[in-house]
Amino acid sequence: MMPIGENLLGQFRGVYLARAKDEEILKRKVASGGAVTALLCYALDKGLVDGVVTSKRVKGFEGKAVVARNREELLEAAGNSWSIVPFAARIKAKIEEEDLRAVAIVCLPCQAQFFGQMRDFPILETDFGNRIKYIISLFCMGTFAFEAFLNYLRVRYGVRAEDIKDIRLGREFLEVHHDDTVLAIPLKEAYSYLQTGCLVCTDYAGLWSDISAGFVESEPGWTVLITRNVRGEELVKGAEKEDYIELRDGVHVLGDVLKRAREKVARAQRNMAQLF
Ligand code: SF4
């Protein structure tokens, strides 16, 4: 768990609003701008990495860790999986199996912490940590204990796992897109089905990453990118220069990101107070 500090967003160098320039990426990622996918395409095309480890939704909420080595495989995997993929357990084997020398990892803040610590403070796993070139963390309010959540969706709302096409987080509601309908569930209700660890987690933006990415409701169609170090900054600026993304200054949305971060900390504090 990250310490609860004064600066809930951690250290950063730049805050941007970004959007993919590739029409196909944009089409698939209408709501969020597609900038993460575009950044990763850039990294693969230019040989900065030889693989991207990310998660892919297979059905309903279920996701699995996959390695993408080119644009097509990345597009296949694009989209939030909304479930914790047991990355850490499998990623080492994947990287070695596929003989990847430099990877980008797209993950959640808790996973970014694990990978970031392993890369920056290697102890036993240097063979793995030194192959991690970029850590991109997605903003996260939590992932569901998905068996329980799917059961609740089925019993309470009659929505079957296999019919779910997308899950989106709004300000007040969780939108479950299934068949041709959108079911809006009040967040308060949905949040009682989060994984237990998420209820006491305080890291919203992924403080251990090179780049944090997510979206805010006030800027639909754009990805918020927070670069935290030189390597993150260079990746973003390089992708802009090579026409993979367009960039705007994003400092004005920091307040929105901070609001979510504060909500998450407040939730963790409430839950911790009940636990101890
Ligand atoms: S809320 Fe925290 S523990 Fe849960 S998935 Fe997100 S980052 Fe990980």
Side-chain angles (χ1 to χ4, degrees):
M1 194 192 313
M2 297 298 296
I4 301 173
E6 281 300 299
N7 185 356
L8 298 181
L9 299 184
Q11 293 192 333
F12 52 86
R13 295 176 69 94
V15 185
Y16 305 100
L17 289 171
R19 190 161 61 183
K21 284 206 158 177
D22 181 310
E23 285 300 324
E24 200 185 338
I25 297 177
L26 273 179
K27 239 191 288 157
R28 292 184 190 219
K29 308 276 287 175
V30 186
S32 64
V36 171
T37 307
L39 279 179
L40 295 169
C41 282
Y42 163 71
L44 281 170
D45 288 352
K46 302 295 173 191
L48 303 175
V49 294
D50 52 8
V52 172
V53 184
T54 183
S55 58
K56 176 180 174 182
R57 182 158 44 207
V58 282
K59 76 171 165 122
F61 280 91
E62 283 181 61
K64 64 172 184 178
V66 292
V67 174
R69 285 178 176 268
N70 53 45
R71 181 179 172 280
E72 283 63 41
E73 289 174 0
L74 257 184
L75 285 178
E76 269 275 288
N80 293 332
S81 73
W82 283 88
S83 71
I84 283 229
V85 175
F87 257 168
R90 292 198 207 132
I91 193 173
K92 184 167 188 277
K94 275 245 172 226
I95 285 173
E96 284 174 355
E97 244 167 61
E98 305 213 10
D99 197 26
L100 300 167
R101 301 272 133 204
V103 296
I105 299 178
V106 184
C107 57
L108 301 171
C110 52
Q111 297 165 330
Q113 180 177 0
F114 174 80
F115 295 126
Q117 285 186 345
M118 186 167 48
R119 183 181 65 182
D120 297 342
F121 305 106
I123 302 174
L124 296 173
E125 300 197 79
T126 47
D127 56 333
F128 171 17
N130 63 9
R131 299 190 194 198
I132 299 173
K133 182 136 180 213
Y134 300 109
I135 301 170
I136 300 181
S137 170
L138 306 172
F139 297 169
C140 179
M141 282 303 274
T143 54
F144 292 102
F146 76 94
E147 287 298 339
F149 189 66
L150 289 179
N151 196 36
Y152 143 80
L153 283 181
R154 189 173 47 78
V155 172
R156 171 97 163 80
Y157 295 105
V159 174
R160 295 181 319 162
E162 54 270 37
D163 296 332
I164 298 172
K165 292 189 179 133
D166 200 4
I167 308 271
R168 291 190 200 151
L169 184 67
R171 201 170 278 282
E172 306 286 341
F173 295 93
L174 187 75
E175 294 177 0
V176 180
H177 297 243
H178 64 105
D179 299 324
D180 291 321
T181 319
V182 180
L183 167 69
I185 303 174
L187 283 185
K188 249 188 157 174
E189 186 180 323
Y191 278 169
S192 45
Y193 290 88
L194 291 181
Q195 312 254 10
T196 317
C198 301
L199 297 174
V200 293
C201 172
T202 55
D203 186 2
Y204 175 65
L207 307 193
W208 280 87
S209 62
D210 302 313
I211 301 172
S212 298
F215 60 92
V216 289
E217 287 205 331
S218 56
E219 291 283 359
W222 291 84
T223 312
V224 180
L225 296 178
I226 301 176
T227 60
R228 302 192 173 280
N229 52 29
V230 175
R231 75 171 90 190
E233 184 74 12
E234 283 180 354
L235 185 69
V236 169
K237 287 293 170 64
E240 182 195 28
K241 193 160 163 248
E242 295 287 331
D243 246 12
Y244 282 74
I245 55 172
E246 59 180 299
L247 277 190
R248 287 162 52 202
D249 182 53
V251 170
H252 63 284
V253 303
L254 267 185
D256 291 355
V257 183
L258 192 56
K259 185 167 181 284
R260 282 276 185 208
R262 284 205 186 104
E263 282 168 16
K264 192 170 178 184
V265 169
R267 183 179 77 190
Q269 286 175 326
R270 273 196 314 274
N271 288 324
M272 277 190 268
Q274 281 172 11
L275 279 175
F276 302 108

